[in-house]
């Protein structure tokens, strides 16, 4: 059973609407990753954080995607203006600090953009 | 350019057989290779992983064989069970433990009883 909690499990949005997903990482895991998994099983790395700081992110040139991991609050990923191509499973994963590289994923938030 | 490739795309084995899932990569800098198991409607679950300094890793019925020279690895699932039916993803990482994972497109395994 996953200890990374993602909400909501499903969301349906119209084109142009905002979509927001949340993630509570596993307790004691300061590093959080967001991935997008499309219907062809392609994983796309979006962004990762260590505590509240961004470590690496893709070039979100469209500026439609934003993410944060505030202190004492769930992490979040928001799409400002949803497009049909954004329909996918959005996966949050967390990792312990130190040298372990093992990522543990949540169940995901499945976004459908109509 | 796909950096991590998996084959076959789908595989069917009988219960009790050994399933062999293949993975190859292009980036010589990859040094950590986890395999994930994903059931429909769920997130990927870490199954087993290997570092590039090793050529074999076992965990119960699951074994990774790694060939650094050929940039290939394989996941062997011994005594396959119907409950092993899932999609298996090979992933790879370069650049330290905070670096992103690069995933293959998966192998869908069906185990028939």
């Amino acid at each position: 059973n996953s200890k990374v909690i993602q909400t909501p499990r499903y969301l349906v949005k119209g084109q142009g609407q905002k979509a927001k997903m949340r993630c509570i990482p596993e307790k004691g895991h300061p590093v959080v990753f967001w991935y997008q998994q499309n219907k062809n099983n392609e994983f796309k790395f979006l962004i990762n954080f260590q505590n509240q700081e961004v470590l690496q992110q893709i070039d979100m040139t469209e500026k439609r995607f934003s993410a944060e991991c505030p202190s004492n609050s769930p992490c979040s990923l928001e799409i400002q203006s949803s497009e049909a191509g954004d329909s996918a499973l959005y996966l949050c994963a967390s990792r312990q600090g130190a040298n372990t590289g093992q990522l543990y994923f949540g169940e995901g938030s499945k976004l459908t953009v109509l | 350019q796909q950096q991590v490739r998996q084959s076959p795309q789908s595989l069917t084995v009988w219960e009790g057989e050994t399933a062999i899932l293949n993975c190859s990569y292009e980036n010589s800098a990859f040094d950590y290779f986890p395999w994930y198991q994903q059931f429909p409607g769920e997130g990927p679950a870490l199954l087993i992983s290997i570092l590039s300094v090793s050529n074999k890793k076992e965990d119960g019925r699951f074994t990774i064989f790694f060939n650094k020279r050929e940039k290939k690895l394989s996941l062997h699932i011994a005594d396959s069970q119907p409950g092993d039916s899932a999609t298996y993803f090979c992933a790879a990482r370069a650049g330290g433990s905070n670096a992103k994972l690069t995933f293959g497109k998966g192998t869908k395994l069906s185990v028939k009883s």
Side-chain angles (χ1 to χ4, degrees):
Chain A
N1 289 331
S2 174
K3 296 179 183 177
V4 176
I5 308 299
Q6 289 190 247
T7 57
R9 287 294 309 277
Y10 304 93
L11 60 167
V12 180
K13 297 293 178 181
Q15 294 199 44
Q17 288 188 319
K18 278 187 187 179
K20 188 167 186 174
M21 293 152 269
R22 291 176 176 82
C23 170
I24 300 175
E26 192 163 338
K27 190 175 181 180
H29 286 195
V31 181
V32 172
F33 286 72
W34 284 99
Y35 282 87
Q36 179 196 64
Q37 183 183 16
N38 68 19
K39 63 179 181 179
N40 296 320
N41 277 338
E42 294 166 326
F43 284 76
K44 181 179 182 179
F45 166 78
L46 297 176
I47 192 169
N48 62 347
F49 293 85
Q50 179 152 1
N51 297 313
Q52 294 81 52
E53 293 193 18
V54 175
L55 294 174
Q56 189 180 7
Q57 61 182 325
I58 64 167
D59 182 16
M60 296 180 177
T61 54
E62 294 179 278
K63 303 299 183 186
R64 295 187 301 109
F65 288 74
S66 61
E68 61 177 3
C69 272
S71 176
N72 298 319
S73 293
C75 297
S76 64
L77 176 69
E78 187 171 56
I79 305 173
Q80 297 299 320
S81 178
S82 301
E83 298 177 355
D86 298 331
S87 295
L89 182 67
Y90 288 84
L91 292 162
C92 176
S94 72
R95 186 184 70 75
Q96 283 182 308
N99 293 319
T100 175
Q102 296 181 346
L103 271 185
Y104 296 92
F105 284 85
E107 301 282 359
S109 292
K110 186 173 181 181
L111 171 65
T112 301
V113 182
L114 301 175
Chain B
Q1 182 186 8
Q2 194 177 344
Q3 292 201 53
V4 177
R5 289 188 172 85
Q6 291 187 245
S7 64
Q9 195 170 10
S10 62
L11 176 66
T12 300
V13 299
W14 291 101
E15 184 175 357
E17 291 185 332
T18 297
I20 300 175
L21 290 68
N22 301 303
C23 180
S24 63
Y25 62 97
E26 296 180 5
N27 186 349
S28 300
F30 287 147
D31 60 4
Y32 169 71
F33 303 87
W35 284 84
Y36 284 86
Q37 178 190 58
Q38 187 176 29
F39 295 105
E42 297 184 10
L46 180 64
L47 195 62
I48 186 172
S49 62
I50 193 166
L51 293 170
S52 61
V53 294
S54 301
N55 55 27
K56 183 180 177 182
K57 177 83 174 285
E58 282 184 88
D59 186 355
R61 297 186 295 111
F62 302 94
T63 303
I64 299 174
F65 292 93
F66 179 70
N67 185 322
K68 189 172 183 177
R69 184 179 60 83
E70 294 187 8
K71 297 182 187 171
K72 290 181 179 179
L73 58 159
S74 59
L75 174 68
H76 291 224
I77 305 175
D79 188 25
S80 297
Q81 301 297 309
D84 296 330
S85 297
T87 300
Y88 292 80
F89 293 95
C90 172
R93 188 196 71 202
S97 54
N98 281 339
K100 66 177 183 180
L101 289 175
T102 299
F103 285 82
K105 290 189 176 183
T107 292
K108 186 175 182 180
L109 174 66
S110 297
V111 181
K112 292 190 172 183
S113 57

